[in-house]
Amino acid sequence: MRKLLFAAVSVGLMATATPSMAAPCKDAKGKFTKCPPKAPPKATRCKAANGKFAKCGTPGAKPI
């Protein structure tokens, strides 16, 4: 009986959580639209004075 009750409560919670996980993108009229793809953050790379890649923040390293 407990397992059945637990399963029913779990399904009920999942059903109520689905609308909150919907895409938040809306157009000017308030209609839901497909969200534009997010661009991945551009990784900053640094080079040392000798021309080799180095950890950013080390002395002499400059971002490229």
Side-chain angles (χ1 to χ4, degrees), residues 3-60:
K3 289 182 182 180
L4 184 62
L5 181 62
F6 180 71
V9 169
S10 297
V11 170
L13 289 175
M14 287 174 50
T16 59
T18 304
S20 65
M21 292 186 281
C25 298
K26 294 183 181 182
D27 61 4
K29 294 181 180 180
K31 302 279 184 177
F32 286 103
T33 60
K34 188 173 182 179
C35 294
K38 292 183 181 178
K42 190 173 181 180
T44 304
R45 298 182 76 183
C46 297
K47 277 194 174 182
N50 62 359
K52 293 184 179 181
F53 287 105
K55 208 179 235 187
C56 292
T58 58

